[in-house]
Structure formats: C-alpha cells, structure tokens
Amino acid sequence: MSLTTSPASLLFTLAEHDQRIFFAINPERNSFIYVNPAFKTFFKTDAEDLSPYAIYNLVNPEDSEYLKESYFALQPGTFKNNIEFRIQLPHQEERVLRLGLLLQPQENEGNLLLGYMEDISDFKAYNDKLNEFSNKKNSILNILSHDLAGPLGSIQNLSALINRKTKAIEDPEVKKWLSLIEEISKKSVLMIQEFVKKEFIESVGVALFKKRANLTQIFKSMAEEYQQKQEELSQTFIFNTVNKPIFVEIDESKFSQAINNLISNSIKFTPNGGTITLSLEDRGTTVRIIVADNGIGIPKKFHASLFDKFNNASRVGLKGEPSVGLGMSIIKTIIEWHDGKIWFESEENKGTTFYVEIAKV
C-alpha cells in the first residue's frame, strides 16, 4: 500500500489533532517556528505572543535548574523524554508537564529543538497518592510485624516454659493444649515475617521505573509513620532533615522499601527504651540518608559479609523475629540500581548506623 502524502505531512496532521503540545524552536533566535493547536489552547496564546524564554519563566523555581540542565545535556540527534516539571500559568492552578525533547541538526541552519509536552497533573496527583499509601503500607507492615512478633514470641516461649515445668502432669489434654499454643504462636510469627519478606522480594522482581521525586517529602512521611507508633514499639524515633525539597531520580516504591527495611532492622535489634534516629542530609550534589540506632550492634565477624546473599550474619531479633536471609543483599542491590552506595558503622552494645547516598537531580 502506498501513501498519497508524505510522512512529514502525516505527522503534521497528527500533531495538529493531538491533545499533546507539540512545538519546534529555533534556539538561536529564541523563537517558536511551529506550535500546534493544543499549545495555543493550553497557554491561551499564539506562539508569536510568547517566547520560549517567557515559558521558561513560568516554570516552578525548584524545577527551572533541572529543566535547564536537561536541555544543555542534549546532544544533536538525541531524544530525551520523561522530563517532568511544574508550571504556573496566570490565574490557574500549578500544572505538572511531561516533556520530550529532540535536538535536530539542520544543514547550514544550526540545530532545531523539537518537542512535545503533556499535562500529567491528574495522573501525577493520583500516582503520588498511590505511592504515599504504598509507603505507609510498608511502614505499617514493618511496625505490625514487630508489634505482633513480640507478644506472639512471648506466648511461644511461655508455653514452652510451662510445658517444661509441668512434665509431671499426666493429663494428655493439658499437654495437647500447651503444645497447640506453642505451635500456633510459632506459626503466626513465621507467617507475619514471611508475608513482609514476600512483599519485599516481589517488589524487587518488578521492573525498575525511576522518576524525579521529592525525597524530603517521601522521607518525612515515612518517618512520621514510625513516630506515631513509637509508644507501641517502646522505642523513640528522632527525625532530622533539611526544610527544603531535595529532588532525586528514583523508583519510589523500591527505594522506600529498601529504607523501610533498614529501619525495620534497627527496630529488630534495638531494645525497648532505645532510640532510632532518621536523618536526611543535603551534601551538595548528593543526598545522604542515615538510619542510626543504639541497639546491640553487629558483631565484627559479620561486617565483611553483611551484604552477601545467604550470609552467616542472619540473627534472630530481640523479640524473636526471624531473619530474612536475602534482606541486606536486596537492599544493597536496590541502592546500586539507583547508582547509589550503602555502608555502615557498628559496634557491639553501642549500636549501628547505616548510610545511603544517591545523586540529586
């Protein structure tokens, strides 16, 4: 089948009818050479009345540097998409746009900047709310696993103790009941831990999807969840952070789960009355997350192999919580997927501090 019109004409027709904003810019003249009807509808103006620089001035100041760096990082002939930024139009609510850019070389005319923008404000708000609930769910799961594992572990230990102390009792019914109590409580603890472990491992199996996100907001929400439950956990949570947005490019679900698991380990190996400190530090080009506790620490002999798969560093928690053998290995893998690094300092009976550092955008 042959086309009666050129591909360029077909693409032009598509752009003219598409709801996305299509444009072409001459960077040297700082002027639009093409905009589609969706552009005029969104900005409520013609291209002649609005320069690219004027649109740039509408961008949220927290995103303007990121947008500028994305443009200057473009190489001729390369396409970059999924650039998200916020824009404030006069007398309207702030909108979130997703941008795709192509720097196209032109013979004897320099480069043209071709691109499209898509209003993803509603999708972004919905997705952010889903991530917020997901992060809360992970925090609550970790808290519940420790809340329930403690009492159930105590029931298990007490039933075993009663069993030993009542060996002289010949009543088979009593022995049967005691054995049932011990068995049920043991299975319940394992079921809770297996559920948390399954959630963590299944999440890692899903493809990585990184996007620009405000880590300050994510970390604050996570920390608040633990602070609200510190009475039930019998531990004090301290949260230190900078009072400004810090933007990073992460898979929010996976990255949050990795940090949640570090916090979970601190809870597991910090006795009642202990303190867990969660900190977020702006290091210039990077951001550092610190999870510190004054718990029982990690024995020196386990330091070198802590991040290995199926290492010999697995230990039962202070309240009888079983260890997830792949935990630290998976956490390290997730951090490295984000081009970050993780390390720790620990001394027995003095506590452990984990550090996670990734680049800002």
Side-chain angles (χ1 to χ4, degrees):
M1 184 178 73
S2 62
L3 295 174
T4 57
T5 53
S6 69
S9 296
L10 291 172
L11 290 174
F12 174 78
T13 303
L14 174 65
E16 287 289 293
H17 289 85
D18 203 302
Q19 292 184 346
R20 288 172 295 179
I21 299 164
F22 284 88
F23 60 88
I25 296 172
N26 184 322
E28 291 182 5
R29 297 178 185 173
N30 186 34
S31 62
F32 289 101
I33 60 174
Y34 169 75
V35 296
N36 69 339
F39 179 101
K40 300 172 185 178
T41 300
F42 184 82
F43 290 104
K44 295 183 170 53
T45 184
D46 289 322
E48 294 79 12
D49 304 321
L50 202 62
S51 71
Y53 188 72
I55 289 181
Y56 177 76
N57 284 335
L58 298 173
V59 174
N60 186 303
E62 292 173 357
D63 299 341
S64 57
E65 191 63 29
Y66 166 69
L67 193 59
K68 186 166 68 173
E69 288 175 0
S70 297
Y71 166 67
F72 283 116
L74 280 176
Q75 296 296 319
T78 61
F79 177 72
K80 182 174 176 60
N81 63 353
N82 292 326
I83 304 168
E84 290 184 13
F85 65 95
R86 292 162 293 172
I87 192 166
Q88 182 67 65
L89 299 178
H91 313 299
Q92 293 187 42
E93 289 184 0
E94 185 175 73
R95 308 301 292 173
V96 181
L97 299 182
R98 178 184 290 144
L99 172 67
L101 291 175
L102 170 66
L103 196 60
Q104 182 64 35
Q106 297 291 299
E107 190 174 350
N108 302 321
E109 295 183 25
N111 297 316
L112 291 182
L113 185 63
L114 312 178
Y116 75 91
M117 291 185 284
E118 185 177 8
D119 187 348
I120 59 166
S121 305
D122 295 337
F123 168 79
K124 181 77 173 174
Y126 177 74
N127 193 57
D128 286 348
K129 187 59 70 175
L130 280 182
N131 280 323
E132 181 185 335
F133 282 126
S134 176
N135 292 339
K136 283 190 174 184
K137 176 209 70 177
N138 291 330
S139 300
I140 290 168
L141 276 177
N142 281 325
I143 291 165
L144 281 176
S145 71
H146 293 288
D147 272 354
L148 294 175
L152 288 169
S154 297
I155 292 169
Q156 179 187 336
N157 293 334
L158 286 170
S159 60
L161 179 63
I162 293 170
N163 224 342
R164 289 196 297 271
K165 293 285 187 181
T166 56
K167 281 184 179 179
I169 297 177
E170 297 298 330
D171 190 334
E173 288 290 310
V174 173
K175 289 190 173 294
K176 178 183 175 184
W177 294 335
L178 287 171
S179 296
L180 274 174
I181 292 170
E182 186 177 355
E183 183 182 344
I184 290 169
S185 56
K186 184 178 181 180
K187 282 183 178 178
S188 298
V189 171
L190 288 172
M191 182 179 67
I192 293 164
Q193 293 297 325
E194 280 298 315
F195 180 69
V196 175
K197 172 183 173 181
K198 188 167 181 281
E199 282 279 302
F200 185 34
I201 292 174
E202 282 186 354
S203 169
V204 175
V206 179
L208 196 71
F209 179 70
K210 293 197 289 185
K211 62 183 182 64
R212 188 168 178 260
N214 181 354
L215 189 58
T216 305
Q217 182 180 327
I218 294 166
F219 199 56
K220 182 181 179 184
S221 175
M222 190 186 303
E224 285 174 348
E225 203 64 45
Y226 286 102
Q227 284 181 320
Q228 288 170 10
K229 300 293 183 181
Q230 57 187 3
E231 268 190 44
E232 290 94 325
L233 291 168
S234 301
Q235 292 160 339
T236 300
F237 286 83
I238 298 171
F239 179 49
N240 303 314
T241 187
V242 292
N243 292 317
K244 65 176 183 179
I246 298 177
F247 291 97
V248 292
E249 194 169 85
I250 58 172
D251 182 311
E252 187 174 334
S253 177
K254 290 183 177 58
F255 191 82
S256 296
Q257 276 199 309
I259 303 305
N260 258 312
N261 273 265
L262 289 178
I263 298 171
S264 176
N265 278 327
S266 283
I267 295 172
K268 191 188 298 184
F269 296 110
T270 300
N272 288 349
T275 300
I276 297 168
T277 303
L278 312 174
S279 303
L280 192 67
E281 295 181 354
D282 188 339
R283 312 281 293 183
T285 58
T286 63
V287 58
R288 183 177 293 179
I289 295 169
I290 303 171
V291 179
D293 65 63
N294 60 353
I296 63 172
I298 302 168
K300 189 76 174 175
K301 63 181 180 180
F302 294 144
H303 285 201
S305 61
L306 189 70
F307 293 113
D308 295 345
K309 286 185 180 179
F310 306 109
N311 59 58
N312 60 353
S314 299
R315 297 179 294 163
V316 174
L318 296 181
K319 295 179 181 177
E321 307 98 326
S323 172
V324 179
L326 287 169
M328 281 298 169
S329 169
I330 292 177
I331 290 170
K332 185 173 186 285
T333 298
I334 291 173
I335 301 305
E336 289 177 345
W337 280 348
H338 290 85
D339 300 316
K341 56 182 180 179
I342 180 171
W343 71 98
F344 69 95
E345 297 170 353
S346 186
E347 190 174 341
E348 283 191 82
N349 302 315
K350 289 191 177 181
T352 301
T353 301
F354 278 94
Y355 302 90
V356 172
E357 193 162 325
I358 59 172
K360 290 163 54 180
V361 294

